[in-house]
């Protein structure tokens, strides 16, 4: 991602946080790079899934404790300044192109070695003055004492001054083709004349048993062929991962959801293969175990892997409804219906 686009991501994200704050929703749980999505024009957007009604809504951070605000580790509470700390970790991600523990980054900055934070892929394609300013902003956001961090309005003002290439669309800077806008849907949540699928219907009823039966029957037919592996990839590690998935499938079929979560997690952590179906199955296993937050994360990950897979959207809808986020659940159901109608029309 080129430098100007990284600055745009930071600016849009700060604007989104300011908008939330101005509308009475200043708390955002576990803000990290995975919460940043891109729309059909390539513009960065903040996912609504981390928004909190109050500081008691968040029970734990999903990220490593090294990246969590110090006050959260002490009290288990999220405050306004906690969001700013997490924003600082995203600034580090944008600067470096990788995940750097805040304490290590601050040590580098104090040691006047901040230049080592800059992504080597940027080389000379960025302004050193801009880089210094972003490092300064990140350092302020990551201060140990919450009152020493800037407020979100100050972040917006500082990042506004750093915007470059304002006349260049985001999708051009990202090197992707502009996507057509999604077609509208009817009040029934369906697009055009297509009928409601069995999976959509089961999700709309929140019938977890029916969802389970369908996922068992469809097996892995929705996974792409991108996981075709060369001979060299068939290592012992690969065999271990496939065995973990096989054991997860068996547990899933037998409705031993705790074991299914454990085995699917082994497969995912192996990192050799990527499977949206595994994330979908683990998402349902979390739902069956009354863990909607974890289920939502897995369904979002399935969508990330396969952005046009209706199943991922429908599972997000179920998790959101369990979290009492009715509007967002309806939106996800409608988006899934749109994608399913498009898929049907192409077939």
């Amino acid at each position: 991602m080129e430098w100007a686009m990284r600055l745009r991501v930071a600016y849009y994200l700060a604007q989104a946080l300011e908008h939330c704050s101005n509308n009475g929703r200043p708390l955002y749980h576990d803000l990290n790079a995975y919460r940043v999505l891109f729309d059909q024009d390539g513009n960065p957007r903040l996912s609504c899934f981390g928004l909190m009604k109050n500081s008691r809504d968040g029970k734990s951070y999903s990220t490593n404790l090294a990246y969590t605000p110090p006050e959260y580790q002490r009290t288990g509470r999220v405050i306004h300044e906690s969001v700013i700390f997490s924003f600082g970790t995203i600034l580090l991600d944008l600067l470096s192109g990788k995940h750097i523990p805040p304490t290590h980054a601050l040590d580098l900055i104090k040691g006047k070695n901040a230049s080592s934070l800059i992504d080597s892929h940027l080389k000379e394609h960025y302004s050193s003055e801009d880089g210094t300013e972003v490092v300064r902003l990140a350092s302020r956001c990551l201060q140990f004492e919450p009152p020493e961090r800037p407020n979100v309005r100050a972040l917006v003002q500082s990042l506004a001054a750093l915007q470059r290439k304002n006349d260049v669309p985001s999708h051009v800077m990202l090197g992707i083709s502009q996507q057509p806008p999604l077609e509208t849907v009817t009040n029934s949540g369906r697009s055009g004349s297509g009928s409601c699928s069995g999976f959509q219907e089961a999700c709309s009823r929140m019938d977890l048993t029916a969802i389970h039966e369908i996922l068992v029957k469809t097996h892995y037919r929705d996974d792409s062929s991108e996981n075709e592996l060369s001979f060299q990839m068939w290592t012992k590690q690969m065999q271990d991962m496939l065995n973990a998935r096989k054991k997860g499938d068996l547990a899933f079929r037998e409705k031993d959801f705790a074991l299914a979560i454990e085995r699917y997690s082994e497969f995912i952590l192996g990192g050799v293969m990527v499977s949206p179906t595994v994330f979908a199955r683990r998402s349902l296993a979390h739902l069956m175990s009354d863990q909607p937050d974890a289920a939502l994360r897995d369904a979002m990950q399935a969508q990330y892997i396969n952005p046009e897979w209706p199943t991922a959207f429908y599972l997000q809808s179920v998790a959101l409804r369990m979290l009492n986020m009715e509007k967002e659940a309806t939106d996800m159901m409608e988006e899934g219906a749109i994608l399913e109608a498009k898929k049907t029309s192409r077939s």
Side-chain angles (χ1 to χ4, degrees):
M1 189 183 292
E2 66 174 277
W3 179 243
M5 188 64 204
R6 298 185 195 209
L7 293 175
R8 185 173 296 181
V9 169
Y11 180 50
Y12 277 41
L13 181 56
Q15 284 185 314
L17 290 173
E18 184 184 34
H19 171 78
C20 294
S21 182
N22 290 342
N23 284 275
R25 300 290 289 274
L27 300 177
Y28 195 100
H29 180 64
D30 200 11
L31 177 64
N32 59 64
Y34 292 104
R35 308 289 194 183
V36 183
L37 310 177
F38 293 86
D39 64 18
Q40 65 267 20
D41 298 317
N43 290 319
R45 303 293 183 193
L46 176 62
S47 162
C48 66
F49 299 139
L51 285 176
M52 295 166 52
K53 293 179 182 178
N54 58 60
S55 59
R56 290 170 297 184
D57 287 349
K59 298 253 176 80
S60 64
Y61 268 62
S62 65
T63 50
N64 188 297
L65 284 177
Y67 302 92
T68 60
E71 63 277 5
Y72 181 85
Q73 295 186 44
R74 293 196 303 267
T75 67
R77 300 290 293 274
V78 177
I79 58 177
H80 299 182
E81 293 81 3
S82 305
V83 182
I84 302 300
F85 184 94
S86 297
F87 184 84
T89 67
I90 293 182
L91 288 180
L92 290 181
D93 290 345
L94 292 169
L95 275 168
S96 64
K98 53 191 174 186
H99 219 30
I100 298 180
T103 52
H104 178 57
L106 289 173
D107 287 343
L108 291 174
I109 294 170
K110 291 175 183 175
K112 300 188 183 303
N113 194 23
S115 60
S116 62
L117 290 172
I118 306 297
D119 190 345
S120 60
H121 290 93
L122 291 171
K123 296 181 180 177
E124 304 301 321
H125 302 294
Y126 78 100
S127 161
S128 58
E129 291 81 7
D130 289 352
T132 299
E133 177 61 17
V134 176
V135 167
R136 187 186 70 83
L137 274 178
S139 176
R140 291 178 60 203
C141 291
L142 297 172
Q143 291 302 302
F144 185 83
E145 295 297 335
E148 296 179 6
R149 300 169 199 159
N151 59 42
V152 69
R153 181 60 189 156
L155 290 176
V156 171
Q157 292 174 342
S158 298
L159 290 166
L162 294 174
Q163 295 309 294
R164 306 288 181 259
K165 296 189 177 183
N166 293 327
D167 57 333
V168 180
S170 296
H171 72 90
V172 173
M173 282 202 277
L174 288 172
I176 61 175
S177 59
Q178 189 173 22
Q179 301 298 313
L182 292 172
E183 60 187 275
T184 58
V185 294
T186 63
N187 290 333
S188 65
R190 302 172 193 155
S191 173
S193 59
S195 61
C196 182
S197 72
F199 194 80
Q200 180 190 353
E201 190 175 278
C203 288
S204 65
R205 298 196 315 267
M206 294 186 68
D207 187 341
L208 300 186
T209 300
I211 295 172
H212 174 257
E213 291 176 357
I214 294 170
L215 286 179
V216 169
K217 289 178 181 177
T218 55
H219 201 53
Y220 287 88
R221 74 181 187 194
D222 290 318
D223 280 15
S224 70
S225 60
E226 294 174 1
N227 285 318
E228 291 293 331
L229 300 165
S230 65
F231 176 79
Q232 290 81 3
M233 289 295 291
W234 288 100
T235 60
K236 182 180 184 300
Q237 181 191 13
M238 186 65 224
Q239 289 292 345
D240 290 343
M241 292 307 99
L242 290 175
N243 286 335
R245 191 182 77 174
K246 189 180 297 184
K247 291 176 182 177
D249 292 339
L250 179 60
F252 186 79
R253 190 165 59 249
E254 298 299 322
K255 300 184 180 180
D256 186 346
F257 297 112
L259 182 59
I261 291 171
E262 184 179 331
R263 293 294 177 254
Y264 284 144
S265 297
E266 288 179 18
F267 172 81
I268 291 167
L269 290 172
V272 178
M273 293 179 67
V274 177
S275 168
T277 298
V278 167
F279 278 104
R281 288 179 165 218
R282 195 174 71 168
S283 176
L284 180 64
H286 281 304
L287 289 172
M288 289 289 197
S289 305
D290 195 25
Q291 299 168 355
D293 283 308
L296 181 58
R297 287 195 295 270
D298 276 352
M300 290 174 65
Q301 194 64 36
Q303 178 196 342
Y304 175 77
I305 299 168
N306 189 347
E308 296 189 354
W309 193 30
T311 295
F313 289 82
Y314 293 148
L315 287 171
Q316 287 179 59
S317 177
V318 176
L320 287 165
R321 189 161 294 158
M322 289 182 70
L323 291 167
N324 297 316
M325 299 174 70
E326 293 294 334
K327 182 182 182 302
E328 291 84 355
T330 300
D331 290 343
M332 283 294 109
M333 185 65 70
E334 290 183 350
E335 287 192 47
I338 290 171
L339 291 172
E340 190 160 26
K342 285 184 175 180
K343 183 178 178 181
T344 302
S345 65
R346 289 195 296 262
S347 60

